[in-house]
Amino acid sequence: MTTIAPGSTIGILGGGQLGRMIAIAAAQLGYRTHIYAPEDSGPAADVSSRWTQGAYEDVAALAAFADAVDVVTYEFENIDPVAVDVLVTHGLVRPSAQALRVAQDRLAEKRFVSDLGGLTAPFASVESLQDLEAAIERIGGRAILKTNRMGYDGKGQARLSGPGDVAAAWGAIGRQSAILEGFVTFEEEFSVILVRGSDGQVRFWDSAANVHVDGILATSTVPAGPLIEGQVAQAQALARQVADALGYVGVLTLEFFASAHGPVFNEMAPRVHNSGHWTIEGAVTSQFENHVRAICGLPLGDTGLAARRAQMHNLIGADANDWQAILSDPANHLHLYGKHEARPGRKMGHVTRLTL
């Protein structure tokens, strides 16, 4: 097992708010961080030692970046796996390129989980309008059409309520490779977040009940309540299978629907996750610190609750302007990401409220 000692440098692909929070956790453990991203700056720039602006297709720049750090990780999954393959030839990358390949292709992801015995929505591959029409006949008119790649926070998706919506939905996603998912009847949404060390040890945080508004996570709450808590064990068992099958190292997130038939797998993210932001104050060890511990080969921290209840609320767009009112309540813990422009639908920060 390779151990990366404090004082070393962690390379992070992507410089958004997740990279920022990984870098903060890394600094607390004595590590430096070096960001690689196509942009010239971002939320992680404020708290990182170095920032390299470079394309994910620039082999020479990636190689130089890898040679300048001791381990590489990433904050989001929409990165060409070829870039990770380049980095692997120059050093240690955690999680692996295989995890990235599975998670960033929705069809591959559904097949992977289905092959492990996980329950998913009915799904079909769509490469043309004719494929979509055939899939609707097989799956049913109430469905969601999603681009296979690059979608997040509700982007790259179109809802269908019947065959009459086919042409409009196909046009809405740009007539590109997609997956059609049948509508799932569910009561609540929740996520399973685990950390897996390089020695195979796995630890889970409590699962949060997630509420989405307009396709964007609005709140995550723990404890999640009896319906979700009754399905968590089964969902965790599947998540462990996924992590083990991928030889995963780091924090991994799987999202589920709590249904009458048990937990229905929705999607996975090979990284720290928005629904785990509550762990910064609400858990003994946050998802960000344990991600750093895992990728550096350190002992994993306790994932238990540090409060009776925690609720994370995303600050979207102008919500972040209420920082003074938020800070006036001592139960609140405010995190602003340093983004300069508050746009509708943009995550500007989050606030976690603890009940001790």
Side-chain angles (χ1 to χ4, degrees):
M1 184 174 73
T2 302
T3 300
I4 309 297
S8 303
T9 299
I10 298 170
I12 303 173
L13 297 180
Q17 63 261 22
L18 297 181
R20 178 189 182 97
M21 288 181 272
I22 292 171
I24 291 171
Q28 290 175 330
L29 292 175
Y31 293 93
R32 297 176 178 85
T33 48
H34 182 167
I35 305 297
Y36 185 99
E39 303 82 17
D40 60 0
S41 186
D46 297 336
V47 295
S48 298
S49 305
R50 291 185 62 188
W51 182 291
T52 293
Q53 182 181 11
Y56 293 127
E57 301 78 27
D58 189 334
V59 173
L62 286 167
F65 166 71
D67 290 340
V69 303
D70 298 289
V71 62
V72 174
T73 192
Y74 39 86
E75 65 140 22
F76 76 125
E77 59 269 36
N78 289 330
I79 300 169
D80 190 336
V82 173
V84 180
D85 289 337
V86 171
L87 294 168
V88 167
T89 64
H90 289 262
L92 190 62
V93 180
R94 290 172 167 168
S96 68
Q98 176 61 12
L100 200 62
R101 284 190 174 89
V102 171
Q104 67 182 202
D105 184 307
R106 287 190 169 104
L107 186 62
E109 180 183 74
K110 284 289 194 299
R111 287 171 173 164
F112 182 81
V113 169
S114 182
D115 287 346
L116 290 173
L119 178 62
T120 73
F123 63 91
S125 175
V126 174
E127 298 292 337
S128 67
L129 182 60
Q130 291 73 28
D131 284 349
L132 179 55
E133 291 170 342
I136 285 288
E137 287 186 12
R138 187 164 69 255
I139 289 176
R142 296 185 68 197
I144 302 176
L145 183 66
K146 302 178 180 180
T147 56
N148 256 346
R149 302 169 68 88
M150 303 301 285
Y152 63 98
D153 287 345
K155 298 176 176 66
Q157 300 184 15
R159 291 181 177 270
L160 295 89
S161 56
D165 296 334
V166 167
W170 182 237
I173 67 160
R175 301 175 177 84
Q176 57 182 304
S177 180
I179 181 173
L180 184 74
E181 298 180 7
F183 189 79
V184 175
T185 300
F186 64 94
E187 298 297 324
E188 296 186 86
E189 298 177 78
F190 69 100
S191 49
V192 170
I193 304 178
L194 64 82
V195 60
R196 186 178 187 272
S198 57
D199 60 355
Q201 181 183 165
V202 173
R203 294 189 180 181
F204 294 93
W205 284 270
D206 283 45
S207 285
N210 299 326
V211 175
H212 291 79
V213 177
D214 296 328
I216 301 174
L217 182 65
T219 62
S220 293
T221 306
V222 289
L227 175 63
I228 290 173
E229 288 168 2
Q231 300 190 11
V232 163
Q234 187 178 347
Q236 286 184 347
L238 176 62
R240 184 187 289 268
Q241 281 185 279
V242 170
D244 288 343
L246 293 172
Y248 199 88
V249 177
V251 168
L252 173 68
T253 306
L254 276 71
E255 295 183 63
F256 291 89
F257 300 117
S259 80
H261 306 288
V264 179
F265 170 79
N266 181 28
E267 61 185 22
M268 63 180 275
R271 54 170 170 80
V272 291
H273 196 261
N274 194 177
S275 66
H277 289 358
W278 65 269
T279 65
I280 297 174
E281 291 86 20
V284 177
T285 309
S286 76
Q287 62 169 345
F288 301 101
E289 180 178 332
N290 256 341
H291 185 71
V292 172
R293 288 181 180 227
I295 65 173
C296 292
L298 306 182
L300 299 180
D302 184 353
T303 54
L305 292 175
R308 286 193 297 112
R309 183 179 187 272
Q311 183 176 72
M312 186 282 301
H313 178 78
N314 266 334
L315 300 176
I316 308 297
D319 291 349
N321 296 334
D322 294 334
W323 51 267
Q324 194 159 12
I326 293 168
L327 289 172
S328 68
D329 187 335
N332 289 337
H333 298 266
L334 177 64
H335 298 259
L336 295 176
Y337 303 150
K339 296 179 180 179
H340 302 301
E341 181 184 0
R343 298 194 300 266
R346 192 181 199 195
K347 295 174 182 174
M348 301 297 295
H350 72 270
V351 57
T352 299
R353 183 178 180 83
L354 298 184
T355 303
L356 300 176

